[in-house]
Amino acid sequence: MYTAHPDRYADLPYRRTGRSGLKLPALSLGLWHNFGPDRPVETQRAILRRAFDLGVTHFDLANNYGPPPGAAESALGEALRADFAPYRDELVISTKAGYLMWPGPYGEWGSRKYLLSSLDQSLKRMGLDHVDIFYSHRPDPDTPLEETMGALHSAVQQGKALYVGVSNYSAEQTREAARILADLGTPLLIHQPRYSMLDRRPEDEGLLDALDELQVGSIVFSPLEQGLLTGRYLDGVPEDSRAASDSPFLDSDAVTEDLVGRLRALNDVARSRGQTLAQMALAWVLRGGRVTSALVGASSPRQIEDSVGAVRNLDFDAEELARIDAIVKG
């Protein structure tokens, strides 16, 4: 029987999410690529246990995570029953709906029918009566935003979610979503955008400014840019890497000689800070406190340990930031 480490809250900082009372760990665990039937169950459970022992109290999912879709939620459900039943109230568990989950016109996007049906299915897979955060995973161009936000509000009213969030919404869409939810009486808690040293869109397109203005929290995905910022690509494309596979998220053609040169230069900056490239990349998105939490994936407990090591140095001086910008922006 698993017993959590008694000092699990000693080292990892927790940050208040927007203007809410909810605090999230600076690093959260995303159950995306590595939780499904093609991965050993013991490895999956070992990752979850090690994360929690290090203070990572937030597990983030979506209905379609796996593969196959739904597998990650089922895997978490098994782990909750086997290891984490005594610790449920110490965990923040989130899930999302928006991408394709089942055939037909009601199996994706943002209709009330899809979102609430999906949430019911997610709760069943995880063996839970509620999640802590339920997201609209992407905006739906064909469904009124009032309907999508109304469904999130209903999830809270039904006791199936404590908080709600959005992901992949623009700054303008986020402002409108927050307004609708405020009128309904269910505040927008959090936004989950893609953000990294190599992907500055939340800065460039005003999303981070909007979140500051709205006092909405943020949890960023792909802070390691699909593995590019882990140091694995400093000598090109490894045979067992995501870029070398048939992954739709990272193509080997994207790993150009110029990019490898930039990654090596970033790695030099990281070494001067006493960090791995991955640790510096995580510290960079967390710098200054604008981002509430950074989502990391893991294929082994050791990867979680390396990621948590990033919090030992979250400060950057002006020269370091200027060097990083010069490398990335050329």
Side-chain angles (χ1 to χ4, degrees):
M1 181 67 182
Y2 165 68
T3 301
H5 196 287
D7 296 329
R8 57 191 175 276
Y9 295 112
D11 298 321
L12 196 62
Y14 296 81
R15 297 178 169 188
R16 190 169 300 281
T17 311
R19 63 189 299 268
S20 77
L22 182 68
K23 292 182 178 181
L24 291 180
L27 293 173
S28 299
L29 180 63
L31 279 69
W32 186 12
H33 290 296
N34 299 310
F35 289 82
D38 60 337
R39 306 282 178 163
V41 171
E42 271 309 309
T43 300
Q44 297 176 44
R45 287 177 59 185
I47 292 168
L48 293 167
R49 291 192 295 256
R50 188 64 181 134
F52 189 58
D53 282 345
L54 291 170
V56 179
T57 55
H58 178 207
F59 299 157
D60 178 77
L61 303 98
N63 57 355
N64 64 331
Y65 287 178
E73 290 178 330
S74 296
L76 180 63
E78 294 173 8
L80 290 173
R81 288 186 289 274
D83 294 329
F84 293 100
Y87 306 106
R88 171 62 183 100
D89 291 334
E90 296 184 46
L91 292 170
V92 174
I93 297 172
S94 59
T95 197
K96 316 176 197 72
Y99 287 93
L100 181 63
M101 190 60 192
W102 61 84
Y106 321 120
E108 62 178 327
W109 293 107
S111 71
R112 179 179 181 86
K113 177 173 177 58
Y114 166 67
L115 290 174
L116 295 179
S117 296
S118 176
L119 179 55
D120 284 342
Q121 291 182 21
S122 293
L123 293 174
K124 185 176 181 179
R125 281 190 290 269
M126 291 186 283
L128 297 173
D129 60 4
H130 74 277
V131 291
D132 298 284
I133 307 170
F134 182 48
Y135 289 87
S136 167
H137 206 165
R138 60 173 172 171
D140 182 346
D142 297 321
T143 297
L145 195 55
E146 288 82 1
E147 178 175 340
T148 301
M149 294 305 106
L152 297 185
H153 170 67
S154 292
V156 173
Q157 293 297 298
Q158 294 168 6
K160 295 176 181 178
L162 300 184
Y163 302 92
V164 298
V166 297
S167 182
N168 298 301
Y169 279 52
S170 70
E172 181 180 353
Q173 291 166 332
T174 301
R175 285 192 175 93
E176 183 64 7
R179 183 194 66 76
I180 295 167
L181 285 167
D183 288 346
L184 292 170
T186 296
L188 177 62
L189 174 79
I190 196 167
H191 190 298
Q192 187 174 133
R194 180 168 180 159
Y195 183 45
S196 75
M197 286 193 296
L198 300 180
D199 187 343
R200 308 289 185 90
R201 284 174 294 178
E203 291 178 10
D204 299 338
E205 297 173 2
L207 178 61
L208 293 184
D209 291 337
L211 298 180
D212 288 343
E213 172 192 320
L214 296 166
Q215 294 184 281
V216 169
S218 59
I219 179 168
V220 300
F221 70 90
S222 293
L224 302 180
E225 202 58 32
Q226 295 297 317
L228 286 176
L229 293 170
T230 62
R232 297 200 69 202
Y233 295 87
L234 297 177
D235 296 312
V237 180
E239 290 184 4
D240 61 345
S241 67
R242 186 170 298 166
S245 71
D246 58 356
S247 170
F249 304 106
L250 183 60
D251 192 296
S252 60
D253 292 341
V255 187
T256 62
E257 187 174 328
D258 176 69
L259 176 59
V260 171
R262 292 172 191 266
L263 295 177
R264 287 174 178 166
L266 289 171
N267 190 56
D268 289 341
V269 179
R271 286 194 299 182
S272 72
R273 291 170 47 83
Q275 292 180 312
T276 65
L277 178 56
Q279 288 170 339
M280 185 180 76
L282 293 171
W284 186 89
V285 297
L286 293 168
R287 75 198 187 284
R290 293 189 85 184
V291 167
T292 312
S293 184
L295 272 170
V296 295
S299 59
S300 69
R302 181 71 186 87
Q303 287 187 349
I304 286 288
E305 294 165 3
D306 184 72
S307 294
V308 170
V311 305
R312 300 190 189 103
N313 185 9
L314 297 179
D315 297 323
F316 290 80
D317 61 34
E319 181 181 351
E320 288 172 329
L321 292 174
R323 285 179 66 191
I324 291 169
D325 284 351
I327 292 166
V328 171
K329 298 179 180 180

